[in-house]
Amino acid sequence: QKEVEQNSGPLSVPEGAIASLNCTYSDRGSQSFFWYRQYSGKSPELIMFIYSNGDKEDGRFTAQLNKASQYVSLLIRDSQPSDSATYLCAVNPTSGKVIFGPGTSLSVIP
Amino acid sequence: EAGVAQSPRYKIIEKRQSVAFWCNPISGHATLYWYQQILGQGPKLLIQFQNNGVVDDSQLPKDRFSAERLKGVDSTLKIQPAKLEDSAVYLCASSLRPSTDTQYFGPGTRLTVL
């Protein structure tokens, strides 16, 4: 089992819809979870981080963490074409080394 | 606040040649990371420095890759000799503290090995 898994996509949603991106991880002791956005040809940039179970909201973005089920998700409300990018889930397991998932490609169709 | 600087931005070399990449982290950031990102994949950590000491280099192919961070600031990553499969984007990132902190990425160096 890979340490961090994501659906590779591409995930296509119409403009204005909710995009749901999911990530599962294998190390039950993982403590910190990050979502990065990467536009084509650019470097990753942080969108959100979450440490505690539950939801964390920041504008149109909501991160959801369920440690018991070992998954973290990112919801993007009112999706815009500018949200079209690859979304990387990163997890900080007990080893202390941040592990990135393979990324999910999101396409928001106008 | 200046971001993470990297150079060169692009490099094309023949296999078996050598290449070096340079990174200057955000001022005050003690932790520096080098990642390799192959097209269509997530970044893979090659080496992590805390100040000028190595924290993790478990995925660094040490027979051909080397890295140093002198004086705990700038860092260089070297490949010698390069192989075709080294073609990738090499990303440098820095953070205030290790692992639990947000990482700030530089623009990356796109390496093509012919």
Side-chain angles (χ1 to χ4, degrees):
Chain A
Q1 181 186 9
K2 293 183 179 179
E3 293 181 89
V4 180
E5 298 195 64
Q6 298 179 250
N7 293 332
S8 61
L11 173 66
S12 292
V13 299
E15 183 175 355
I18 296 175
S20 178
L21 304 162
N22 299 314
C23 172
T24 59
Y25 58 94
S26 60
D27 187 332
R28 187 170 287 277
S30 298
Q31 294 295 319
S32 311
F33 308 86
F34 305 84
W35 283 100
Y36 285 82
R37 177 176 62 200
Q38 186 172 28
Y39 291 113
S40 180
K42 302 295 184 182
S43 53
E45 56 180 344
L46 182 76
I47 299 176
M48 294 187 71
F49 61 85
I50 186 168
Y51 300 144
S52 304
N53 274 329
D55 295 359
K56 180 180 179 182
E57 186 174 318
D58 183 0
R60 296 187 295 112
F61 299 94
T62 299
Q64 299 175 319
L65 174 61
N66 184 323
K67 290 186 177 180
S69 300
Q70 294 175 240
Y71 84 78
V72 56
S73 63
L74 180 70
L75 300 178
I76 307 175
R77 291 183 299 280
D78 187 22
S79 295
Q80 301 297 309
S82 58
D83 295 326
S84 298
T86 296
Y87 289 80
L88 299 163
C89 172
V91 175
N92 178 27
T94 51
S95 67
K97 178 178 68 178
V98 174
I99 307 293
F100 281 83
T104 298
S105 175
L106 172 66
S107 180
V108 180
I109 312 301
Chain B
E1 180 183 72
V4 177
Q6 288 188 249
S7 67
R9 292 294 310 278
Y10 305 91
K11 191 73 177 179
I12 300 174
I13 61 173
E14 305 257 338
K15 61 183 180 183
R16 291 188 290 274
Q17 285 187 324
S18 302
V19 64
F21 312 127
W22 173 82
C23 173
N24 182 244
I26 292 173
S27 178
H29 281 196
T31 311
L32 185 147
Y33 314 79
W34 281 104
Y35 290 91
Q36 179 193 62
Q37 187 172 27
I38 293 172
L39 189 64
Q41 299 181 19
K44 182 181 85 171
L45 181 68
L46 293 176
I47 189 165
Q48 178 179 335
F49 291 95
Q50 181 66 19
N51 297 308
N52 60 348
V54 175
V55 172
D56 188 304
D57 63 357
S58 57
Q59 297 192 98
L60 187 73
K62 298 180 185 63
D63 57 335
R64 299 184 300 106
F65 286 64
S66 64
E68 61 182 7
R69 189 183 185 195
L70 300 176
K71 301 179 182 178
V73 182
D74 294 9
S75 177
T76 56
L77 176 69
K78 297 179 181 178
I79 307 176
Q80 179 180 10
K83 293 185 175 181
L84 296 177
E85 59 262 35
D86 297 332
S87 293
V89 175
Y90 291 84
L91 295 164
C92 179
S94 70
S95 64
L96 271 174
R97 290 175 294 270
S99 299
T100 57
D101 259 15
T102 299
Q103 296 185 31
Y104 296 87
F105 285 82
T109 297
R110 183 175 299 276
L111 173 67
T112 302
V113 182
L114 302 175

